[in-house]
Amino acid sequence: MFGGWRPEALRADTGQDAWLRYAPLETAAKAKYASLPASVVVLGHSPVLRTAQEEMIRGVRGMMAKTLRAEKGVAERAIVLGTLAAMHAAGYSLKAPKLEGDGFWLTTGQIQGIDCLIVASTSDLGVLYGVFALLSKIARDQTFSSLDEVQQPYALIRWVEQWDNLNGTIERGYAGPSIFFENGDVRADLRRVGQYARLLASIGVNGCTINNVNADPRIIDDSFLPQLARIANEFRPWGVRLAVSVDLSSPKVIGGLDSFDPVDPRVIEWWRAKVSKIYQQIPDFGGFVVKADSEGRPGPSSYGRTPADAATVIARALKPHGGLLLYRAFAYDHHLDWRNPKNDRARAAYDIFHPLDGQFDDNVIIQIKYGPIDFQAREPVSPLLGRLERTNEGIELQITQEYTGQQRHLCFLPTMWKEILDFDLHVSGNKTPVKDLVAGKVFHRPTGALVGVANVGLDANWLGHPLAMANLYGFGRLAWDPNLSGEAVAEEWTRLAFGNDPLVVKTITDMQRASWYVYESYTGPLGAQTLTDILGSHYGPGIESSERNGWGQWHRADHDGIGMDRTVATGTGYTGQYPPAIQNRYESVRATPDELLLFFHHVPYTYLLHSGKTVIQHIYDSHYDGAEEAADFVRQWKSLQHHVDEERYAAVLARLEYQAGHAIVWRDAICNWFFRTSGIRDAKGRVDHHPHRIEAETMQLQGYGSIEVHPWENASGGEGIECVTPSGCTATLRFDRPAGWYEIDVQYFDQNNGESKFRVFVGNQQVDEWIANDHFPATKPSGDSSTRRRIPGLALRPGDEIRVQGIPDGEEHAPLDYIEVRASPAER
Ligand code: GCW
């Protein structure tokens, strides 16, 4: 019944343990590890080493139902955990390889004549990382009879950031409230914080910034520090350093000064004293993140000072304590004049920070978003990444899917991150991939950083979509080792999160690997960026929201063509920020790769791509293909029924079915908009032609009235219907096709300010009913709230009356867009 595979994988799973489930091993795998020693020896007493020993015991107990004996010395075959120094001190003679920092060595060897399994490092934390690596191998069914493996982290700083507010909400968080804060204070119950730190440690993440970069100054108020210390206590046993985002105006807002001018001696003293107080309570405090002069945040420009002036005052306060300052390069003017074709937000980070190269202290890291705009589904690599030679830099990636489907759409981001990290910027004509630049290897900097904005929440499974945790896992793995392939990361994660059933491993790995391209293909063509509502949710389609305003995310589409001319020759000059080899590639319209064409060039819709298609036909095709591939995810996932636990099976299926529907909303919005704007027909005749679609406004309505939807492209035909009669309304049509099996899609709008009820009848028989109670980011009918209900397998006869009844609730007026009646798949 289970395809020969074990029912073990089918245990209910809330997702709380993520990739650290330690699920019981298959009998065959258990046999493989039967010779594992029966005891675990740890050399040393630090909290991190204690954690390492406990984790080893926990993992083996979960997977093999055996409890290792915790010992202090080697008297029998043992798993030995400790630093190389401790091993030498204990008189163990080992020929150790060269290890640095928190790197580790897993090996088998003799200690005092006894065969042992050894996990060694130069640091306690490295030992913990080694334990996690060993347990991961067991969970993934890897053989390690002749184990001898060294792993070194690529970059020193591997931090996640959370955009949590003190009131418990999370900016761009999609999985429930904050695990850290509630009602203005640190939560009383911090169990989830300890669990989070464990997950982070298991992938080598060594720091976490807990609050929004749009920082509440109160975070470092003296009265708040004991609360921060409680969080640091949860992090400490896992070697995760606590950091916070600070507001540059803090000396004024909470410090009582009349200025926050970074060169004012009183301000300098204020930061010095504040930082010492923090370290008195949190000796291993990691440091600060700063967002300044950006999107309305206060900054040094108020006093005519530079980011270097601002960074210096804070960095010097942190320096004596070993603290770091991550100063964000995401600073730009959001009141740009869109009428000026030379204006370009993409230039901002480089224009502001490049002239300051060399003016930052050694404990400052300039934290640079991967692209020059803002976490779009596709952007070129930020040129600033290649242009700081005398300043530490780090890259900022986004784990939370702000512009990539908000964990309702499947989008495995390590595929994108790999392209970015491997991208060779050819600095000074040499091979200089981004991963080497941000690890500080190219210019021999003291440090570098990979930072991921995670935004996990209180939802049991941390990120909402059960498959989205692969992004957090993948961030940590790539920060540790950017040379891993995206495929390897997806496969590791799948084995850990779902077990080793080959069908499960292959299916989920394949889906993850395809998912970013699929998402990109129906949301943002050819580097035009994610064509979403940039002024609001950043979720559904909103093609013109980025045009004709000061935010500078323009793609400049009009009747004749589309794209931003960013060339030196005729455009904004942005391409000139890249080293020559890259500049030449992007300066030339022919040399620019298709997927970034519209980021760099303005071209007519009839322009021929390298693929041989015109731009407009590519837009149509990619959106149709993308929507079909999204539908195919549902089919692929269904092949895993009875191979994964029911809970996650159902939760993922629901999200994928929703995604397949929402991909059609995206497809239609973008295709219709470009069709109307360009006037050029789809060569394949699909756009604006939906043979089985019946617009709700054309049905026979009782009580329902038509409404216009804005922007028009987010509803089929630009209109929908709504019902304000409390007892409900109906929309009816007469079925006039041959008798047979059909499925009906009801496209409706599910707002978050009411829970309307829907019922569907064929003749007098009710065939379905549901409540529109999902929580999309929308209070009106829109591309965010548009969703569908699919009713499969209906035997319809000519003359049947199909009737949808809607009963409004609150501000949600049972809004409908259209219905589609299609022959059931088996009949097609
Ligand atoms: O992407 C934008 C987000 C903002 C965010 C900002 C930033 C925290 O829409 O919500 O603010 O970037 O990164 O500072």
Short mmCIF file of all heavy atoms in Angstrom, two decimals, residues 248 262-263 268 271 306-319 325 327 358-364:
data_model
loop_
_atom_site.label_atom_id
_atom_site.label_comp_id
_atom_site.label_asym_id
_atom_site.label_seq_id
_atom_site.Cartn_x
_atom_site.Cartn_y
_atom_site.Cartn_z
N LEU A 248 19.24 55.59 14.18
CA LEU A 248 20.34 56.54 14.37
C LEU A 248 19.96 57.73 15.24
O LEU A 248 20.83 58.39 15.80
CB LEU A 248 20.82 57.05 13.01
CG LEU A 248 22.02 56.35 12.39
CD1 LEU A 248 22.54 57.19 11.24
CD2 LEU A 248 23.13 56.13 13.41
N PRO A 262 26.38 62.65 14.32
CA PRO A 262 27.39 61.64 14.68
C PRO A 262 28.76 62.20 15.05
O PRO A 262 29.57 61.46 15.60
CB PRO A 262 27.49 60.77 13.42
CG PRO A 262 26.86 61.54 12.32
CD PRO A 262 25.87 62.46 12.96
N VAL A 263 29.02 63.47 14.76
CA VAL A 263 30.33 63.97 15.17
C VAL A 263 30.25 64.83 16.43
O VAL A 263 31.28 65.30 16.93
CB VAL A 263 31.05 64.74 14.02
CG1 VAL A 263 31.15 63.88 12.77
CG2 VAL A 263 30.35 66.06 13.72
N ILE A 268 28.75 61.01 20.55
CA ILE A 268 29.79 59.97 20.59
C ILE A 268 29.81 59.31 21.98
O ILE A 268 29.81 58.09 22.10
CB ILE A 268 31.17 60.59 20.26
CG1 ILE A 268 31.15 61.12 18.82
CG2 ILE A 268 32.29 59.58 20.47
CD1 ILE A 268 32.38 61.88 18.39
N TRP A 271 26.73 56.97 22.62
CA TRP A 271 26.82 55.62 22.05
C TRP A 271 27.83 54.78 22.84
O TRP A 271 27.60 53.59 23.09
CB TRP A 271 27.25 55.69 20.56
CG TRP A 271 26.12 56.07 19.64
CD1 TRP A 271 25.97 57.24 18.98
CD2 TRP A 271 24.98 55.25 19.27
NE1 TRP A 271 24.81 57.23 18.23
CE2 TRP A 271 24.19 56.02 18.39
CE3 TRP A 271 24.55 53.97 19.61
CZ2 TRP A 271 22.99 55.55 17.83
CZ3 TRP A 271 23.37 53.50 19.07
CH2 TRP A 271 22.60 54.27 18.18
N THR A 306 28.07 61.99 6.43
CA THR A 306 28.01 60.83 5.53
C THR A 306 27.71 59.55 6.32
O THR A 306 27.89 59.51 7.55
CB THR A 306 29.36 60.61 4.83
OG1 THR A 306 30.31 60.19 5.83
CG2 THR A 306 29.84 61.87 4.14
N PRO A 307 27.35 58.48 5.60
CA PRO A 307 27.21 57.18 6.27
C PRO A 307 28.49 56.76 6.99
O PRO A 307 28.43 56.11 8.03
CB PRO A 307 26.89 56.23 5.11
CG PRO A 307 26.22 57.09 4.09
CD PRO A 307 26.90 58.43 4.20
N ALA A 308 29.64 57.18 6.47
CA ALA A 308 30.89 56.81 7.15
C ALA A 308 30.98 57.51 8.50
O ALA A 308 31.41 56.91 9.49
CB ALA A 308 32.09 57.17 6.27
N ASP A 309 30.55 58.78 8.56
CA ASP A 309 30.55 59.47 9.86
C ASP A 309 29.64 58.74 10.85
O ASP A 309 29.98 58.53 12.01
CB ASP A 309 30.02 60.92 9.70
CG ASP A 309 30.90 61.76 8.80
OD1 ASP A 309 32.13 61.57 8.82
OD2 ASP A 309 30.35 62.62 8.07
N ALA A 310 28.47 58.36 10.34
CA ALA A 310 27.50 57.70 11.23
C ALA A 310 28.02 56.35 11.68
O ALA A 310 27.90 55.97 12.85
CB ALA A 310 26.17 57.54 10.50
N ALA A 311 28.60 55.61 10.73
CA ALA A 311 29.09 54.27 11.07
C ALA A 311 30.22 54.37 12.09
O ALA A 311 30.33 53.55 13.01
CB ALA A 311 29.56 53.55 9.81
N THR A 312 31.07 55.37 11.93
CA THR A 312 32.25 55.46 12.77
C THR A 312 31.90 55.62 14.25
O THR A 312 32.46 54.94 15.11
CB THR A 312 33.15 56.62 12.30
OG1 THR A 312 33.48 56.37 10.92
CG2 THR A 312 34.42 56.72 13.12
N VAL A 313 30.95 56.49 14.53
CA VAL A 313 30.64 56.72 15.94
C VAL A 313 30.14 55.42 16.60
O VAL A 313 30.53 55.08 17.72
CB VAL A 313 29.63 57.88 16.12
CG1 VAL A 313 28.38 57.69 15.32
CG2 VAL A 313 29.23 58.03 17.58
N ILE A 314 29.35 54.67 15.88
CA ILE A 314 28.80 53.45 16.49
C ILE A 314 29.86 52.35 16.52
O ILE A 314 30.01 51.63 17.51
CB ILE A 314 27.54 53.00 15.72
CG1 ILE A 314 26.50 54.12 15.77
CG2 ILE A 314 26.97 51.73 16.31
CD1 ILE A 314 25.22 53.81 15.04
N ALA A 315 30.60 52.24 15.44
CA ALA A 315 31.61 51.18 15.38
C ALA A 315 32.64 51.35 16.48
O ALA A 315 33.09 50.38 17.10
CB ALA A 315 32.29 51.20 14.01
N ARG A 316 33.02 52.59 16.75
CA ARG A 316 34.05 52.81 17.78
C ARG A 316 33.52 52.49 19.18
O ARG A 316 34.28 52.09 20.05
CB ARG A 316 34.59 54.23 17.69
CG ARG A 316 35.27 54.40 16.36
CD ARG A 316 36.34 55.43 16.29
NE ARG A 316 36.94 55.30 14.96
CZ ARG A 316 37.46 56.29 14.25
NH1 ARG A 316 37.50 57.50 14.76
NH2 ARG A 316 37.96 56.06 13.06
N ALA A 317 32.20 52.65 19.35
CA ALA A 317 31.63 52.26 20.64
C ALA A 317 31.65 50.74 20.79
O ALA A 317 31.86 50.20 21.87
CB ALA A 317 30.21 52.80 20.76
N LEU A 318 31.45 50.05 19.68
CA LEU A 318 31.36 48.58 19.72
C LEU A 318 32.74 47.91 19.77
O LEU A 318 32.90 46.82 20.33
CB LEU A 318 30.64 48.07 18.46
CG LEU A 318 29.13 48.32 18.38
CD1 LEU A 318 28.64 48.18 16.93
CD2 LEU A 318 28.36 47.35 19.30
N LYS A 319 33.70 48.57 19.17
CA LYS A 319 35.01 47.96 18.95
C LYS A 319 35.65 47.34 20.20
O LYS A 319 36.08 46.17 20.16
CB LYS A 319 35.94 49.03 18.34
CG LYS A 319 37.36 48.59 18.15
CD LYS A 319 37.52 47.87 16.84
CE LYS A 319 38.96 47.45 16.67
NZ LYS A 319 39.16 46.62 15.51
N LEU A 325 29.27 46.30 13.35
CA LEU A 325 28.20 47.15 12.84
C LEU A 325 27.92 46.76 11.39
O LEU A 325 28.81 46.84 10.54
CB LEU A 325 28.61 48.62 12.90
CG LEU A 325 27.62 49.57 12.18
CD1 LEU A 325 26.24 49.52 12.82
CD2 LEU A 325 28.16 51.00 12.20
N TYR A 327 26.13 48.04 8.40
CA TYR A 327 25.50 49.28 7.92
C TYR A 327 24.92 48.99 6.55
O TYR A 327 25.64 48.59 5.63
CB TYR A 327 26.56 50.39 7.84
CG TYR A 327 25.98 51.78 7.80
CD1 TYR A 327 25.99 52.60 8.93
CD2 TYR A 327 25.42 52.28 6.62
CE1 TYR A 327 25.46 53.89 8.88
CE2 TYR A 327 24.88 53.57 6.59
CZ TYR A 327 24.90 54.37 7.71
OH TYR A 327 24.37 55.63 7.67
N GLY A 358 36.98 52.83 2.14
CA GLY A 358 38.20 53.11 2.90
C GLY A 358 37.95 53.99 4.12
O GLY A 358 38.83 54.15 4.96
N GLN A 359 36.74 54.52 4.22
CA GLN A 359 36.46 55.41 5.36
C GLN A 359 35.72 54.71 6.50
O GLN A 359 35.26 55.36 7.44
CB GLN A 359 35.63 56.61 4.90
CG GLN A 359 36.38 57.51 3.94
CD GLN A 359 35.56 58.73 3.56
OE1 GLN A 359 34.80 59.25 4.36
NE2 GLN A 359 35.71 59.18 2.33
N PHE A 360 35.57 53.40 6.39
CA PHE A 360 34.86 52.68 7.45
C PHE A 360 35.84 51.87 8.29
O PHE A 360 36.79 51.29 7.77
CB PHE A 360 33.82 51.73 6.83
CG PHE A 360 32.71 52.44 6.10
CD1 PHE A 360 32.81 52.71 4.74
CD2 PHE A 360 31.57 52.85 6.79
CE1 PHE A 360 31.79 53.37 4.07
CE2 PHE A 360 30.55 53.52 6.12
CZ PHE A 360 30.65 53.78 4.76
N ASP A 361 35.58 51.82 9.60
CA ASP A 361 36.45 51.05 10.49
C ASP A 361 36.33 49.56 10.19
O ASP A 361 35.39 49.11 9.54
CB ASP A 361 36.06 51.31 11.96
CG ASP A 361 36.54 52.69 12.42
OD1 ASP A 361 37.07 53.44 11.58
OD2 ASP A 361 36.36 53.01 13.61
N ASP A 362 37.28 48.81 10.73
CA ASP A 362 37.36 47.38 10.41
C ASP A 362 36.25 46.54 11.01
O ASP A 362 36.09 45.37 10.64
CB ASP A 362 38.71 46.82 10.89
CG ASP A 362 39.74 46.90 9.77
OD1 ASP A 362 39.38 47.42 8.69
OD2 ASP A 362 40.86 46.44 9.99
N ASN A 363 35.53 47.07 11.97
CA ASN A 363 34.39 46.29 12.50
C ASN A 363 33.07 46.74 11.89
O ASN A 363 32.00 46.48 12.43
CB ASN A 363 34.34 46.33 14.03
CG ASN A 363 34.15 47.73 14.58
OD1 ASN A 363 34.57 48.71 13.97
ND2 ASN A 363 33.50 47.82 15.73
N VAL A 364 33.16 47.42 10.74
CA VAL A 364 31.95 47.79 9.99
C VAL A 364 31.86 46.88 8.77
O VAL A 364 32.86 46.62 8.11
CB VAL A 364 32.00 49.25 9.51
CG1 VAL A 364 30.74 49.61 8.71
CG2 VAL A 364 32.19 50.19 10.69
#
